[in-house]
Amino acid sequence: MTKRIAFQGELGAYSHQACAQARPDFTPVPCTTFEEVVEKTRTGEVDLGMLAVENSTYGRVADVHSLLPKSGLHIVDEAFVRVHVNLLGVKGAQVADVTEAHGHVVILPQCAGFLKQHGILGKVSSDNARAAREVAEAGDVTRAALASELAAEIYGLDVLARHIEDHANNTTRFLVMAPQADVQRRSADMMTTFTFRVRNIPAALYKAMGGFATNGINMTKLESYMVGGSFTATEFYADIEGHPEDENVKRALEELAYFSTQVNILGVYPSDRRRG
């Protein structure tokens, strides 16, 4: 039986593109929300979940960072997807015909320069692929969608302008989530993701991070966010290069645990070499 992978959005979304890239042999299952992706994966309705966590232009996807620690899921892979924004219109339309372009609130600022240059008004849609579907259904040459070429294929639209994003390196990082951890794999480039809360003592974060520096471990990401809406409770999210069973990583995590009230490893997985 074909395995299934859930993603947030409609068929043709960039998350769908990530699924096709990372798990081409899986059947993609669209979901309305990130929470739905997590629930379907946690309950076994699907085998894996695909979650967008950050974009090189827009920044982190805050909803996902708050979901991960309490999801009960484990990161088993990462996928970096080059996000090419395209202007999609109905058959026969031209760029000059378009007066408004629909796309997700995240995608609009990524092609603001093109829209301004052509006098096109950007309008917010809940999903880029949904915008493409609705443009196809409306059949109006003045309406366009900001979406992937995959969406153009699915909904029978013309690509009026390709790769209109303002930044040439526009990339989104996705995490592949599974109900069970997979820590047995080994490669030259392993990543470990974890969250932690430091003890309420002076310079606790500085001391907690010291073990990674003294053990020569590269920390590629460190972010903080409030817990339960409190200004005094802070959780940190971190990515490091290495495997928890590496001696230097093991020592660093032990030191981290000494200065923390809790440490939660979210995943151990091979690095996607496209991470740049």
Side-chain angles (χ1 to χ4, degrees):
M1 187 172 65
T2 305
K3 292 187 175 182
R4 290 149 53 90
I5 182 168
F7 67 94
Q8 187 276 323
E10 297 196 19
L11 292 174
Y14 291 103
S15 294
H16 179 188
Q17 182 179 329
C19 293
Q21 175 181 302
R23 293 293 190 276
D25 53 336
F26 280 53
T27 298
V29 178
C31 297
T32 305
T33 64
F34 293 125
E35 288 84 357
E36 186 181 352
V37 173
V38 168
E39 184 64 13
K40 285 183 184 295
T41 308
R42 189 184 61 79
T43 60
E45 186 175 338
V46 299
D47 300 277
L48 298 173
M50 180 71 74
L51 295 175
V53 288
E54 59 190 319
N55 176 267
S56 59
T57 302
Y58 183 78
R60 76 177 182 180
V61 182
D63 289 350
V64 170
H65 280 80
S66 63
L67 269 177
L68 287 177
K70 57 187 178 183
S71 68
L73 301 178
H74 304 270
I75 305 167
V76 294
D77 266 315
E78 66 176 355
F80 284 79
V81 174
R82 179 69 175 80
V83 178
H84 288 303
V85 184
N86 306 281
L87 187 72
L88 311 183
V90 298
K91 295 292 184 181
Q94 303 293 324
V95 174
D97 298 323
V98 177
T99 58
E100 60 185 49
H102 299 251
H104 192 272
V105 65
V106 171
I107 214 78
L108 292 173
Q110 296 176 25
C111 52
F114 177 90
L115 297 181
K116 182 178 180 181
Q117 177 186 351
H118 293 276
I120 299 172
L121 177 65
K123 292 206 168 185
V124 174
S125 174
S126 60
D127 180 78
N128 300 306
R130 177 179 179 175
R133 175 174 59 80
E134 291 179 342
V135 165
E137 291 171 351
D140 183 348
V141 296
T142 67
R143 292 179 59 182
L146 301 167
S148 66
E149 292 189 54
L150 177 60
E153 294 173 13
I154 291 172
Y155 300 109
L157 297 173
D158 282 348
V159 180
L160 308 185
R162 279 183 169 81
H163 304 180
I164 63 173
E165 61 272 13
D166 294 338
H167 301 284
N169 64 341
N170 190 18
T171 302
T172 297
R173 181 190 183 207
F174 292 86
L175 298 177
V176 181
M177 311 298 297
Q180 302 297 325
D182 183 359
V183 299
Q184 302 305 315
R185 290 173 301 170
R186 284 288 193 154
S187 72
D189 304 300
M190 294 298 293
M191 300 293 297
T192 298
T193 295
F194 55 91
T195 59
F196 64 97
R197 297 184 196 179
V198 294
R199 293 164 55 191
N200 188 23
I201 59 174
L205 179 60
Y206 172 79
K207 294 172 182 176
M209 294 292 94
F212 297 96
T214 56
N215 285 285
I217 297 168
N218 185 28
M219 182 169 285
T220 60
K221 185 181 186 66
L222 178 64
E223 292 193 352
S224 64
Y225 49 96
M226 292 187 298
V227 178
S230 170
F231 286 100
T232 58
T234 303
E235 190 156 51
F236 294 89
Y237 174 102
D239 293 332
I240 60 170
E241 294 179 352
H243 192 287
E245 294 178 3
D246 296 340
E247 285 302 320
N248 61 335
V249 175
K250 190 181 297 184
R251 290 192 298 268
L253 289 175
E254 287 173 354
E255 192 164 338
L256 171 68
Y258 181 79
F259 293 106
S260 302
T261 58
Q262 66 178 56
V263 178
N264 179 25
I265 293 181
L266 299 178
V268 181
Y269 49 96
S271 170
D272 183 345
R273 294 182 181 274
R274 284 165 292 215
R275 69 171 28 245

